[in-house]
Amino acid sequence: MGMGRPREFDADVALDQAMEVFWRHGYEGATIAQLTEAMGINPPSLYACFGNKEGLLKAALNRYTKLRGVWMDGVVAAPTAREVAERMLMGIAEKQTDPANPPGCLLVQGGIACGTGSENVPFELAARRAENEDQLRERFVRAKAEGDLKPTSDPAALARYVSAVSVGMGVMASSGSDREALRQVASVAVQAVEAQSAHG
Amino acid sequence: MGMGRPREFDADVALDQAMEVFWRHGYEGATIAQLTEAMGINPPSLYACFGNKEGLLKAALNRYTKLRGVWMDGVVAAPTAREVAERMLMGIAEKQTDPANPPGCLLVQGGIACGTGSENVPFELAARRAENEDQLRERFVRAKAEGDLKPTSDPAALARYVSAVSVGMGVMASSGSDREALRQVASVAVQAVEAQSAHG
DNA sequence: CCAGAATTGTAGTGTTCACTACAGATGTGG
DNA sequence: CCACATCTGTAGTGAACACTACAATTCTGG
């Protein structure tokens, strides 16, 4: 028995294009017509490969978070909690204003509020953001154990905080803030982590 | 010449209902059918009164920002920059998890990314958020002049920072974070403003 | 070379969307 | 009471949406 006609497009390349459309227009704002045009394929190919629009989003998110996870590994490798926060927020200021991508962060731009039938999309994105927060929290737990953070500090709260600032910066970037404005925010934000660090 | 049949509904009451729908579903996710049902009117009444869907959004935003402006006046009336930040962020933790409203903030939930034909909605929301930031910046400029903030501090950066944290908290609230989680974020965030305060 | 399996492009499907034509209703000014 | 202006409900409008039926195409296994 034959294995059928082989796919003529590269799924990962197509996902990169779809990612950009979701990033720029959000899940609901992105149309199948825009997606297929950007991906260079026709609707039947899209549905055969990804199931439906939401399946395509999840596949794009998988690809996005995989790349992001690698970057986060480098972030949490910083020697101190303060430097972790700085590397993270300054890096985000760069990435979210990188002209190679739409401004902001796909995990925010993808959809914060959705209409009937897409209610779970915002939660799907939130779950991906939570993964980053988990990585941060574990790193801050270690920092506290190492005496890098004060004994009175709350690693979970710090991780939530850094995550919240990241999201806020993403929204700013998508509505026109430039790189310098984001760097200023990051610079101020780091001082709260500094305040929780054991000095010396 | 007669003045025509009088309107049978209260525009402000109707706007409150519309606000809630935009808040929960976003601009694109909210349908005219949902809006008219919540407002208790029929489509022709909506279009006669507000022009179109975007006109309705702007009218709802006007009402939202008017109420919010009153609240902000109380926030910036706090005696120090640190207390301004604390009152603002702690108040936002309360408001964004108030069960009387949808979670989060209308100026964020309304729409961060939109499809073709609604590209200016995110910018409209950003402009409203910028008004809040302006109020904060002016207050921090005064705090610096009064010696409440360090001479080396950057009032504009601090205002941007507090605004960014607010937005991040709104996204968290809309994706399920509870009041205590937001309070933790606010508590950490205030420490960055504290770090820019002249101690004594 | 042939049978079966999977992909492809064309050309739609029904549904839902924002928005409106129209006729009847309800007010004001003369 | 009448002319006029505006609102209201019913019932749609064309356009855009996510998604798919179908036949032609291109591969593998025997």
Side-chain angles (χ1 to χ4, degrees):
Chain A
M1 320 152 184
M3 286 170 52
R5 177 173 175 175
R7 183 173 295 142
E8 292 185 1
F9 63 96
D10 182 317
D12 279 339
V13 173
L15 278 180
D16 282 337
Q17 307 304 318
M19 202 187 296
E20 156 121 11
V21 176
F22 283 131
W23 200 331
R24 197 173 297 279
H25 299 291
Y27 176 75
E28 290 196 298
T31 70
I32 298 292
Q34 287 172 325
L35 289 163
T36 53
E37 186 185 352
M39 297 166 86
I41 62 178
N42 291 311
S45 298
L46 190 159
Y47 285 91
C49 190
F50 302 107
N52 56 20
K53 191 181 175 185
E54 195 166 335
L56 175 62
L57 175 71
K58 288 183 182 174
L61 289 177
N62 285 341
R63 193 163 161 74
Y64 182 81
T65 54
K66 201 167 83 178
L67 297 174
R68 189 179 174 105
V70 172
W71 179 73
M72 278 297 292
D73 290 341
V75 167
V76 298
T80 66
R82 192 197 107 79
E83 280 169 287
V84 167
E86 185 169 38
R87 220 182 261 191
M88 166 115 179
L89 295 175
M90 282 297 180
I92 280 184
E94 304 286 317
K95 288 158 65 82
Q96 289 182 341
T97 55
D98 183 346
N101 295 322
C105 170
L106 174 61
L107 301 187
V108 175
Q109 298 299 309
I112 293 304
C114 278
T116 309
S118 312
E119 294 91 346
N120 48 328
V121 166
F123 291 105
E124 179 73 29
L125 297 178
R128 312 282 182 151
R129 292 195 300 269
E131 292 175 13
N132 278 350
E133 189 182 309
D134 288 345
Q135 261 185 289
L136 280 175
R137 193 187 61 243
E138 287 171 20
R139 180 62 184 85
F140 288 151
V141 165
R142 200 188 92 198
K144 185 175 177 180
E146 290 172 344
D148 169 28
L149 285 172
K150 288 180 181 171
T152 56
S153 65
D154 182 343
L158 277 175
R160 254 198 284 268
Y161 163 75
V162 172
S163 186
V165 174
S166 304
V167 170
M169 288 170 67
V171 173
M172 286 177 59
S174 74
S175 55
S177 291
D178 63 13
R179 184 168 288 183
E180 188 51 31
L182 295 188
R183 281 208 195 100
Q184 287 180 355
V185 170
S187 175
V188 174
V190 167
Q191 299 181 35
V193 179
E194 169 91 31
Q196 290 300 314
S197 297
H199 302 167
Chain B
M1 320 147 185
M3 285 170 54
R5 178 174 176 175
R7 183 174 295 141
E8 292 183 2
F9 64 95
D10 182 315
D12 279 340
V13 172
L15 278 179
D16 282 337
Q17 306 304 318
M19 203 188 294
E20 157 122 10
V21 176
F22 282 132
W23 200 332
R24 199 173 295 281
H25 299 291
Y27 176 75
E28 290 197 299
T31 69
I32 297 292
Q34 288 173 326
L35 290 164
T36 53
E37 186 185 351
M39 298 166 85
I41 61 177
N42 290 311
S45 298
L46 190 159
Y47 285 90
C49 190
F50 303 107
N52 57 19
K53 191 181 177 185
E54 196 165 335
L56 175 62
L57 175 71
K58 288 184 182 174
L61 289 177
N62 285 341
R63 193 163 162 73
Y64 182 82
T65 54
K66 201 167 81 178
L67 297 173
R68 189 179 175 105
V70 172
W71 179 74
M72 279 296 292
D73 289 341
V75 166
V76 299
T80 66
R82 193 197 106 78
E83 281 169 284
V84 167
E86 186 169 36
R87 219 182 260 192
M88 165 113 180
L89 296 175
M90 281 298 179
I92 280 183
E94 304 286 318
K95 287 158 66 81
Q96 289 182 342
T97 56
D98 183 346
N101 294 322
C105 170
L106 174 60
L107 301 187
V108 176
Q109 298 299 308
I112 294 304
C114 278
T116 309
S118 312
E119 294 92 347
N120 48 328
V121 167
F123 290 106
E124 179 73 27
L125 297 178
R128 312 281 182 151
R129 294 194 301 270
E131 293 174 13
N132 278 349
E133 191 182 307
D134 288 344
Q135 262 185 287
L136 280 176
R137 193 189 61 244
E138 287 172 19
R139 179 62 184 85
F140 288 151
V141 165
R142 200 189 92 196
K144 184 174 176 180
E146 290 172 344
D148 169 29
L149 284 171
K150 287 181 181 171
T152 55
S153 65
D154 183 343
L158 277 175
R160 254 199 284 267
Y161 163 75
V162 171
S163 185
V165 174
S166 305
V167 169
M169 288 170 66
V171 174
M172 286 178 59
S174 74
S175 55
S177 291
D178 63 13
R179 184 168 289 182
E180 188 50 32
L182 295 189
R183 282 209 195 97
Q184 287 181 356
V185 170
S187 174
V188 174
V190 167
Q191 299 182 37
V193 179
E194 169 90 31
Q196 289 301 314
S197 297
H199 300 164

